[in-house]
Amino acid sequence: MTSSKDAIAKLIENTIRDDIRAVASYHVPDASGYIKLDAMENPYQLPESLRAELGQRLADAALNRYPVSYPTLKAKICASLGVPAGYDVMLGNGSDELISLMAAAVARQGRGGDARRAVVMAPTPAFVMFSRAAQFAGADFVGVPVKADFSLDLEAMLAAIEQHRPALVFLAYPNNPTGNLFDAGHMEAIIRALGETGIAVVDEAYQPFARTSFMDRLPAFPNLVVMRTLSKLGLAGIRLGYLSGDAALLEQFEKLRPPYNVSVLTQVAAEFALEHLDVLDAQADLLNQERTRLAAELAALAGVEVFPSAANFISLRVPDADKTCSELRTRKVLIKNLSKMDKLLANCIRVTVSTPEENTALLNALKASL
Ligand SMILES: *Cc1c(COP(=O)(O)O)cnc(C)c1O
């Protein structure tokens, strides 16, 4: 008789896809007791008075009801976040979910003849969810390396588009994990090259810090989708992402959206936050000021190379990233080691910009960890 452990192993082998069994889970480290600078979270909460008011609003939410298509929240997003007139938004449980839904929407399976599996493309290094979502949806992911200074290799991108005819191309603006803004003219050339054969998704997760956007270009490019999130602005915990694009395209993506993917609590909290966008924008201003200070102080450290950032994080190269990360961990500072992620990121680490106190603590710990 086989043990139940053997039986479950057989069951998994017989049912779960080979490529799923082969991947490692997305690891979220336990951060209790640490200064948490690994996930681009806003260190500030809403002020006490607003939190009390939000508490009341949440208490009044109709938790007994399923959420209904979110008209008020969508209208608030369109009105306050620069969505062009005549354009609607689609909401996701974080932009992570929207990435997965778009990948699923294009993941046509090649059958017979010269039919090929759909290709999802992004310049790399890129946000890991782009390749993961493509894989899980059953599409092939093609990464096109950026240049050594992390700028787009336009020629290589255009050649890869010609060769692979991707159905979906993700361009993070600014890019994560590098922090830089790609050249907008190069991005337009890519969107134009995709034309009627591919959808370009400009992922503006860091728009609150970059203060620049492709949103107003939507009317110029029918194959353009602009995606954002409230996460980096200070609401990572509520999980709300949104995207905008041509209504007919959104209608297709909407078919894949689980009808109640955004909870009533998220809806209420997001509406409340948008009514107080000035508070969140002021926090982003503070973080941008700290980014300037932190970048300068990091650049002054011997052996450290700091890369320009338009986001709420800074990527830098140190003499020995593994050593620096483990020493920082013993000093109770959690950051992201990028070294293994991509050839171009050898000995690179990424730190979230935080409060002046936490940034100073990082600098002091780093001086002892290089
Ligand atoms: C953080 C991040 C996201 C994910 O945002 P959520 O809305 O929290 O899922 C998407 N894209 C990029 C480039 C990011 O860095």
Side-chain angles (χ1 to χ4, degrees):
M1 205 179 82
T2 52
S3 74
S4 72
K5 205 159 161 255
D6 288 342
I8 200 78
K10 283 251 154 46
L11 174 69
I12 287 169
E13 210 180 301
N14 286 329
T15 55
I16 307 298
R17 282 159 43 178
D18 297 352
D19 67 312
I20 301 294
R21 281 187 283 137
V23 301
S25 307
Y26 190 96
H27 175 63
V28 180
D30 178 16
S32 42
Y34 286 84
I35 296 181
K36 194 173 184 314
L37 305 178
D38 64 334
M40 285 77 84
E41 290 149 324
N42 176 346
Y44 301 108
Q45 294 212 315
L46 289 173
E48 197 59 53
S49 59
L50 289 185
R51 281 154 69 181
E53 205 180 318
L54 171 61
Q56 192 53 55
R57 293 268 286 269
L58 290 169
D60 293 339
L63 300 187
N64 55 320
R65 300 289 179 197
Y66 283 110
V68 280
S69 68
Y70 319 103
T72 337
L73 176 54
K74 286 183 174 187
K76 280 203 160 79
I77 289 173
C78 290
S80 53
L81 295 170
V83 178
Y87 282 75
D88 197 2
V89 290
M90 170 176 171
L91 306 182
N93 190 312
S95 40
D96 281 353
E97 185 185 44
L98 295 170
I99 294 167
S100 299
L101 297 182
M102 286 187 284
V106 303
R108 175 182 281 139
Q109 299 300 305
R111 274 190 203 90
D114 62 359
R116 291 182 306 168
R117 270 155 58 99
V119 168
V120 174
M121 186 178 285
T124 51
F127 184 48
V128 275
M129 282 302 294
F130 299 158
S131 53
R132 289 214 148 203
Q135 182 200 340
F136 295 165
D140 290 327
F141 179 78
V142 175
V144 180
V146 296
K147 295 184 172 172
D149 65 356
F150 301 150
S151 63
L152 275 179
D153 188 339
L154 182 61
E155 263 179 55
M157 282 297 293
L158 294 178
I161 288 169
E162 175 90 21
Q163 184 189 345
H164 298 283
R165 281 288 148 212
L168 198 57
V169 175
F170 287 104
L171 298 164
Y173 187 71
N175 191 30
N176 174 16
T178 55
N180 58 310
L181 285 165
F182 294 137
D183 181 280
H186 289 175
M187 290 168 62
E188 288 185 347
I190 289 166
I191 301 167
R192 226 174 270 121
L194 290 167
E196 290 177 10
T197 67
I199 300 162
V201 180
V202 175
D203 179 349
E204 298 187 346
Y206 300 96
Q207 183 272 337
F209 307 96
R211 309 280 162 92
T212 179
S213 176
F214 267 61
M215 200 62 103
D216 58 8
R217 289 181 178 81
L218 283 177
F221 299 102
N223 64 330
L224 171 64
V225 167
V226 175
M227 179 175 67
R228 295 193 193 144
T229 174
L230 298 191
S231 294
K232 309 302 173 1
L233 185 60
L235 300 162
I238 73 169
R239 312 302 302 131
L240 186 78
Y242 62 98
L243 60 77
S244 190
D246 187 89
L249 196 53
L250 259 52
E251 190 186 328
Q252 299 302 320
F253 292 150
E254 279 284 353
K255 296 175 186 174
L256 288 106
R257 187 180 63 79
Y260 312 120
N261 63 333
V262 172
S263 87
V264 167
L265 292 173
T266 295
Q267 189 184 345
V268 171
E271 285 179 21
F272 184 79
L274 292 177
E275 289 162 25
H276 300 283
L277 203 53
D278 54 325
V279 175
L280 295 168
D281 280 337
Q283 293 176 349
D285 278 337
L286 279 178
L287 293 167
N288 275 351
Q289 286 166 29
E290 274 298 296
R291 179 181 66 207
T292 306
R293 174 183 79 102
L294 183 59
E297 298 206 17
L298 287 169
L301 301 177
V304 170
E305 183 187 2
V306 174
F307 299 104
S309 170
N312 65 336
F313 63 86
I314 295 173
S315 293
L316 52 148
R317 181 167 282 126
V318 295
D320 183 345
D322 290 351
K323 170 173 178 269
T324 297
C325 286
S326 69
E327 300 227 356
L328 282 176
R329 212 171 304 120
T330 64
R331 292 178 175 84
K332 291 291 173 193
V333 179
L334 208 57
I335 61 159
K336 179 86 173 175
N337 188 349
L338 304 174
S339 356
K340 305 273 179 319
M341 205 175 149
D342 194 292
K343 278 207 298 279
L344 290 170
L345 296 174
N347 282 319
C348 288
I349 61 175
R350 186 189 68 196
V351 300
T352 308
V353 178
S354 186
T355 60
E357 298 71 29
E358 290 197 347
N359 295 333
T360 299
L362 166 71
L363 282 162
N364 290 334
L366 198 56
K367 283 174 196 162
S369 305
L370 286 172

